[in-house]
Amino acid sequence: SIQKASRLGWLETDRLTQYSTITVILLSFTDPDAVMLLPFDPECYKLKGSPFPNKSALFVTGFKALEDIPELLFQAAHVVVFRTADGFIITNMAFTAVMMLYDFIAKLLQYSCIPDVKPPPFTDIDEYTFESVTASEELDQFLEEAGISDKDTQRKLGVALRTDGFRVIGDLERLDDEQRREYEEEKGIPKLDLKKISTYLDEIRESHENAEATRAERAAKAKAEEVRSGIEREAMLEAEATKAREAVDALHAREAAEQEEAKARAVRGAEAEKAAAAAEAEAAAARAALAAEHEKERAEAEAAAARLHAEKAEAEADAARALADKVRAEEEAMEAAAASKARAATSAAHDREKSLHEREIAEQEKAKASAMRKAEHAKATAAAEAEATAARAALAAEHERERAEAEAGAARLRASKAEAEAEAAQAI
């Protein structure tokens, strides 16, 4: 397969002797899928969505079944004979069988369902030269293009030609009348089909001999097409230039009209400015007169407000003086009443203290008089002393209460004075 691919020009032969390519060739002995790693020429990839370049390379991978199927059978036989089946072995064999089935179905679909890419005919002077055609080994393609449509006849003729040493298309020029008669009589190949070989070979030679003239004619046509396109391009450019000039003229006319309109607007604007200046002057004079009148009225109003304020201040001052006199009189009356009450309370307290003092002196004198009878009259003396102590406590409590009342009265008097002052301040 590698030899055939090299002869047909599928491989880059300059890379065949590299170590990486030799390693791939060795790997392909046990795994035919490795042929996808061979250095195929990029132009040889004809199968879409496949890593293999063509169906011939895909067909080679089918030999992998010669290894995988016996291996699977041997594993199954080993499991059955030696009864070594367990979960891992059964799972491994099941997955191996499923993988092989999917791989086989995918390659079968790809090989049978993807249409073959039809190569260009040998008369195509853009794809082939006459030398490359004569060196080609594609005899089946040549016979099909020659018009031998019957597949059985095409197959028998191809086998006979290869058996007699016709390996490349150029060898068909050695096919003489005697060999044609032999193929017709012994192989059962129609004479017309044998004649088509020479006819198509002459047609290929003629097409490639006229290739230079054809290429020159194509070049002339291309040049004429280029000249015609150049002329059309020049005409188009001229039309575009005419349109551009017309557009420029229209633009100039529009600019002139805009300038005239701008001048008219300027004249109208100057007149409007003059009228606006006159109106502004009149408005300024009217505003000045109105402002002077307003200033005069404001001055009069401020003077009247000042007089009213002075009168109000004077009335408030009189009211404040009257209120202050009233408060002062009330304070003096309250102070006099408080002082009189305080003096009365003090005098009463002094009288009580004096009478108590006198009684204490009498008691002391009595106690001194009865000192000799102290032991006999101890209870009476203790009772008298307790009575005296209670009287002193009552007197002190009463004195304290009266003093507290006096202080409370003084506090009320001060509060009344503060309220009077606050009212006076609020009135002011």
Side-chain angles (χ1 to χ4, degrees):
S1 297
I2 295 176
Q3 182 182 7
K4 178 182 177 182
S6 300
R7 286 201 314 269
L8 295 178
W10 294 348
L11 297 175
E12 297 179 2
T13 54
D14 56 335
R15 297 174 56 188
L16 282 177
T17 57
Q18 294 182 358
Y19 294 150
S20 58
T21 306
I22 295 174
T23 303
V24 170
I25 293 173
L26 295 176
L27 290 176
S28 65
F29 292 161
T30 58
D31 186 7
D33 286 344
V35 297
M36 70 175 68
L37 303 177
L38 290 174
F40 286 98
D41 190 282
E43 297 181 357
C44 294
Y45 285 87
K46 306 298 183 182
L47 296 178
K48 293 183 179 180
S50 175
F52 300 100
N54 49 43
K55 290 188 176 181
S56 297
L58 182 62
F59 179 78
V60 172
T61 62
F63 290 102
K64 187 178 181 181
L66 298 178
E67 176 188 0
D68 292 343
I69 294 177
E71 181 180 357
L72 184 61
L73 294 176
F74 285 141
Q75 290 179 357
H78 183 274
V79 170
V80 172
V81 173
F82 293 99
R83 301 181 183 279
T84 58
D86 57 13
F88 176 76
I89 293 176
I90 297 300
T91 304
N92 186 20
M93 292 179 61
F95 277 110
T96 302
V98 171
M99 182 192 68
M100 291 172 57
L101 179 62
Y102 271 81
D103 191 22
F104 174 75
I105 293 174
K107 289 182 179 178
L108 182 62
L109 291 174
Q110 197 170 27
Y111 188 84
S112 59
C113 296
I114 297 178
D116 294 327
V117 179
K118 190 174 182 179
F122 290 119
T123 55
D124 190 346
I125 61 176
D126 294 328
E127 294 291 336
Y128 304 102
T129 61
F130 186 72
E131 289 76 12
S132 64
V133 172
T134 56
S136 175
E137 296 183 358
E138 298 294 334
L139 292 177
D140 295 333
Q141 178 184 349
F142 178 85
L143 295 177
E144 182 178 359
E145 293 181 5
I148 303 175
S149 57
D150 185 60
K151 296 295 181 182
D152 186 50
T153 302
Q154 187 183 127
R155 182 183 57 79
K156 288 194 298 182
L157 182 57
V159 172
L161 290 173
R162 289 188 179 90
T163 303
D164 293 339
F166 296 95
R167 302 193 59 84
V168 296
I169 295 175
D171 295 339
L172 297 177
E173 294 179 346
R174 298 186 288 104
L175 186 64
D176 52 15
D177 295 338
E178 184 179 352
Q179 289 175 321
R180 289 193 182 93
R181 192 180 309 107
E182 181 182 352
Y183 289 159
E184 182 181 355
E185 296 175 355
E186 297 181 2
K187 308 293 182 181
I189 298 174
K191 182 177 181 180
L192 181 61
D193 290 340
L194 294 173
K195 186 176 180 180
K196 289 179 179 178
I197 295 176
S198 301
T199 303
Y200 188 55
L201 192 60
D202 293 339
E203 184 180 346
I204 293 173
R205 181 184 294 107
E206 183 179 358
S207 64
H208 285 282
E209 287 177 354
N210 297 331
E212 293 297 330
T214 304
R215 292 191 183 95
E217 184 179 357
R218 289 181 180 177
K221 289 182 179 179
K223 189 172 182 180
E225 184 67 24
E226 184 178 357
V227 171
R228 184 168 60 255
S229 62
I231 295 173
E232 292 176 355
R233 192 182 301 110
E234 289 179 358
M236 188 183 301
L237 292 175
E238 183 65 25
E240 291 179 356
T242 303
K243 291 181 180 178
R245 286 194 295 270
E246 292 176 354
V248 170
D249 295 339
L251 181 61
H252 288 166
R254 189 166 59 252
E255 288 179 352
E258 290 177 355
Q259 290 177 357
E260 293 295 331
E261 186 177 357
K263 290 179 180 179
R265 283 199 301 269
V267 173
R268 290 194 298 271
E271 295 176 354
E273 288 179 357
K274 290 180 180 179
E280 183 65 24
E282 293 178 359
R287 283 195 299 271
L290 185 60
E293 187 176 355
H294 285 175
E295 187 67 25
K296 181 179 178 181
E297 291 178 354
R298 187 170 63 83
E300 292 176 355
E302 287 179 354
R307 287 193 300 272
L308 182 61
H309 184 68
E311 292 175 357
K312 184 178 179 181
E314 186 177 356
E316 290 177 352
D318 294 340
R321 283 193 296 271
L323 183 59
D325 294 339
K326 182 180 179 181
V327 170
R328 192 180 303 111
E330 291 178 354
E331 288 178 355
E332 289 176 355
M334 292 177 66
E335 286 178 357
S340 175
K341 188 175 181 180
R343 283 193 299 273
T346 304
S347 176
H350 286 170
D351 291 343
R352 282 193 298 272
E353 287 179 358
K354 184 177 180 181
S355 62
L356 182 60
H357 183 64
E358 288 177 355
R359 190 169 59 184
E360 287 178 355
I361 292 173
E363 290 292 335
Q364 288 177 1
E365 289 178 353
K366 185 179 180 180
K368 288 178 181 181
S370 61
M372 297 301 293
R373 295 172 297 174
K374 184 175 181 180
E376 299 174 352
H377 300 284
K379 293 182 179 180
T381 305
E385 288 178 354
E387 185 180 355
T389 302
R392 283 194 300 272
L395 182 61
E398 185 177 359
H399 180 68
E400 188 66 22
R401 182 176 58 79
E402 291 176 353
R403 187 171 55 186
E405 290 178 354
E407 289 178 355
R412 285 193 299 271
L413 182 60
R414 286 193 297 272
S416 299
K417 185 178 179 181
E419 290 178 356
E421 290 176 354
E423 291 177 355
Q426 185 176 4
I428 292 172

